[in-house]
Amino acid sequence: MIAVIGSGITGLTASWALNQFREVTLYEKHSEIGMAAFGAKQMIGETEVEFDIPFRTIKKDYYPTLFQVYDRVGIQTRVVDYSFRVDSNDESVFGFFSKNILGFHIGIPSSEVFLSQKGRTIFSDLLKFYANAKADWKNENPKITILDFLKRYNYSNEFIYEFLLPTFALVNTCKTETVALYPAETIIGYHSRGYSYTPQETAKFGTRDIVNRMTEGLQHLHLNAKIQQIVKKGSKTIIQFESEEKEFEHVILSTQANQAYQILGKGFELEKEILSEFRYEASDVVLHTDPSYFKNPNVSLVFNIREGYDKPEVTLDLGRIIPELHGKKVFQTWNPHKLPHKDDTLKLAKFERPVMDERTRVAIDRISSLHSDPHCKLWLCGSYSLYGIPLLEAGAKSALQVTSHILNMSVSDIIRN
């Protein structure tokens, strides 16, 4: 028997993949599957709509592993309009429109790009970054941070502080100053996957469909799991519950690193030392109906960069991209600089996301070394455990890598089965 602890995208992928070959038990501490635990059902007019919090979008060139899993499981996706604008201290400085022309999806720069000097500077540096960054990075110390890299190659302050760092603060759900210290390799590697334009997509029937399909056929699923500790007794890996303990051939910890640290006990001191190297930052996401957050009906997403705030405020107009809303104004705001009035607030959720830095890189290499041990029985995986972004892709990919070790099969064979 194999235990998978945690049912975000990592745990769902691991349990789905292993369940095709072995007996698996999936444990989740919440009363709902983790990936859907923070969603919200709301009456919009006379229609009940289930909102995903956070709203998740993926692109084929940035999420290849996740798309392979979705295709295999039968999860359909649809293209969404992710036109966006960047406002810096309430001045529009950059933007892109997403257009479908004869079945081809293309990105078109908005008027702000050409009508202001700042917009033209950002766009020029963006083209330079796409064209040169990957080759330039190969000439640098692999440990160079993205901020040092951008300054060394003379990118403008407008591009650095009013576009690249804030947009990646959203991608990684962290502070702008934290992104500045990310290894350049991670951000340049992220961009190098998608020089050509590919549209943003989302699960056609929402996170509920993802959860249902990925747990279909899973015989052992335990919600509200009361796991106390995971300990090693001799060569045995034991999960201790409130009233019993069970031995498992393998245990896959697919929670956040800081949560995994808390439930590891005697015999796993090395794993805990490694997990302690990972840091997290918290962010708020609020679902609301306050139109003051979104003053431009021509785009779907607005970044607001304001002095005095360490994260960009980003608001998504769900009425433009969720068909069931029929254009009704419902918004989702990440990192709100102020909270909506309580009468406009539908739900407030809090999340933690892993931070990437040199300490993280070393810890990831140490996890890889642990997993290379032929006698490994405790597996650490999740978005934190791979060197790169985006998070959903890293979560699914790390789960499949662990599954590959356990089954002694290639990832491609596991997906094709």
Side-chain angles (χ1 to χ4, degrees):
M1 176 74 80
I2 298 172
V4 177
I5 300 174
S7 60
I9 190 60
T10 307
L12 289 175
T13 302
S15 58
W16 164 77
L18 284 164
N19 193 51
Q20 301 175 76
F21 307 94
R22 304 282 290 276
E23 189 175 2
V24 179
T25 301
L26 176 60
Y27 293 100
E28 169 56 51
K29 69 178 181 179
H30 292 103
S31 60
E32 171 67 276
I33 292 292
M35 191 173 183
F38 299 99
K41 292 182 179 180
Q42 297 288 333
M43 294 300 299
I44 305 297
E46 298 181 356
T47 304
E48 183 180 68
V49 179
E50 184 167 12
F51 294 93
D52 296 336
I53 302 177
F55 186 82
R56 300 174 177 92
T57 62
I58 56 179
K59 290 162 62 81
K60 282 188 167 66
D61 41 9
Y62 290 84
Y63 297 79
T65 305
L66 198 60
F67 267 100
Q68 287 181 330
V69 172
Y70 281 9
D71 289 345
R72 178 66 181 81
V73 177
I75 297 165
Q76 298 180 50
T77 60
R78 62 178 176 84
V79 173
V80 295
D81 175 8
Y82 237 54
S83 302
F84 73 91
R85 192 183 73 244
V86 178
D87 289 353
S88 180
N89 294 313
D90 298 320
E91 174 193 0
S92 296
V93 297
F94 195 79
F96 250 78
F97 287 105
S98 174
K99 295 293 184 181
N100 182 347
I101 300 177
L102 300 176
F104 295 94
H105 296 275
I106 60 174
I108 301 174
S110 64
S111 59
E112 290 88 353
V113 172
F114 304 107
L115 295 181
S116 71
Q117 179 60 49
K118 187 175 290 187
R120 291 192 294 271
T121 297
I122 292 173
F123 188 52
S124 174
D125 276 356
L126 180 61
L127 295 177
K128 171 184 169 182
F129 188 78
Y130 274 134
N132 301 336
K134 190 173 182 180
D136 289 340
W137 176 81
K138 291 180 179 179
N139 297 321
E140 294 297 329
N141 183 327
K143 297 179 181 180
I144 190 172
T145 67
I146 187 62
L147 181 59
D148 287 343
F149 176 88
L150 294 171
K151 288 185 173 181
R152 181 164 300 177
Y153 287 91
N154 298 314
Y155 288 89
S156 65
N157 284 337
E158 291 86 351
F159 177 73
I160 295 172
Y161 296 107
E162 297 182 67
F163 181 73
L164 192 72
L165 297 187
T167 55
F168 270 90
L170 171 65
V171 170
N172 296 290
T173 326
C174 63
K175 299 176 182 178
T176 303
E177 64 184 24
T178 301
V179 174
L181 299 178
Y182 268 49
E185 178 186 5
T186 60
I187 292 178
I188 294 170
Y190 177 92
H191 269 290
S192 67
R193 299 178 193 176
Y195 289 149
S196 60
Y197 181 82
T198 57
Q200 296 278 357
E201 300 183 46
T202 191
K204 186 174 183 179
F205 302 107
T207 296
R208 184 67 52 191
D209 183 55
I210 297 172
V211 166
N212 290 343
R213 289 180 181 275
M214 296 194 73
T215 56
E216 185 177 357
L218 188 63
Q219 298 298 310
H220 308 288
L221 170 60
H222 296 282
L223 302 176
N224 296 308
K226 306 299 183 185
I227 295 175
Q228 304 299 298
Q229 272 199 325
I230 304 169
V231 299
K232 185 185 294 184
K233 294 185 177 180
S235 62
K236 297 179 179 180
T237 302
I238 307 292
I239 298 180
Q240 296 177 334
F241 301 88
E242 279 188 335
S243 58
E244 63 176 339
E245 62 180 38
K246 292 183 179 180
E247 177 189 355
F248 289 89
E249 181 183 356
H250 294 281
V251 174
I252 299 173
L253 261 176
S254 58
T255 65
Q256 294 179 181
N258 51 0
Q259 296 171 356
Y261 177 91
Q262 294 296 327
I263 61 174
L264 283 180
K266 187 176 180 180
F268 293 112
E269 288 76 17
L270 176 58
E271 286 83 354
K272 293 192 69 168
E273 179 197 338
I274 295 172
L275 290 170
S276 69
E277 294 296 310
F278 294 94
R279 297 179 297 112
Y280 283 77
E281 288 187 0
S283 289
D284 293 338
V285 181
V286 61
L287 183 72
H288 63 94
T289 56
D290 184 346
S292 69
Y293 283 74
F294 207 98
K295 299 177 181 178
N296 188 333
N298 297 319
V299 296
S300 299
L301 191 74
V302 173
F303 290 78
N304 273 300
I305 304 162
R306 299 186 178 104
E307 289 184 12
Y309 293 92
D310 57 10
K311 298 176 183 177
E313 176 189 87
V314 184
T315 298
L316 178 63
D317 182 353
L318 296 174
R320 286 175 59 96
I321 57 181
I322 297 180
E324 294 85 352
L325 292 179
H326 303 292
K328 291 189 171 86
K329 294 304 179 183
V330 181
F331 307 97
Q332 192 169 119
T333 298
W334 291 266
N335 309 319
H337 292 168
K338 64 178 179 65
L339 288 176
H341 189 276
K342 63 180 181 179
D343 293 340
D344 294 319
T345 301
L346 302 177
K347 185 167 184 177
L348 175 65
K350 295 181 180 293
F351 296 91
E352 289 184 319
R353 293 293 185 263
V355 170
M356 181 72 66
D357 56 21
E358 179 59 21
R359 284 174 55 187
T360 299
R361 186 191 66 77
V362 173
I364 288 172
D365 288 343
R366 295 179 71 189
I367 289 176
S368 181
S369 295
L370 288 177
H371 290 179
S372 66
D373 183 346
H375 302 293
C376 183
K377 292 186 177 181
L378 180 78
W379 306 86
L380 308 175
C381 62
S383 58
Y384 70 89
S385 67
L386 284 185
Y387 192 63
I389 45 181
L391 300 180
L392 284 176
E393 173 69 9
K397 189 174 181 179
S398 68
L400 289 172
Q401 288 180 351
V402 164
T403 303
S404 175
H405 278 293
I406 292 173
L407 299 176
N408 195 26
M409 293 176 62
S410 70
V411 169
S412 59
D413 285 343
I414 292 170
I415 293 176
R416 284 198 302 264
N417 183 71

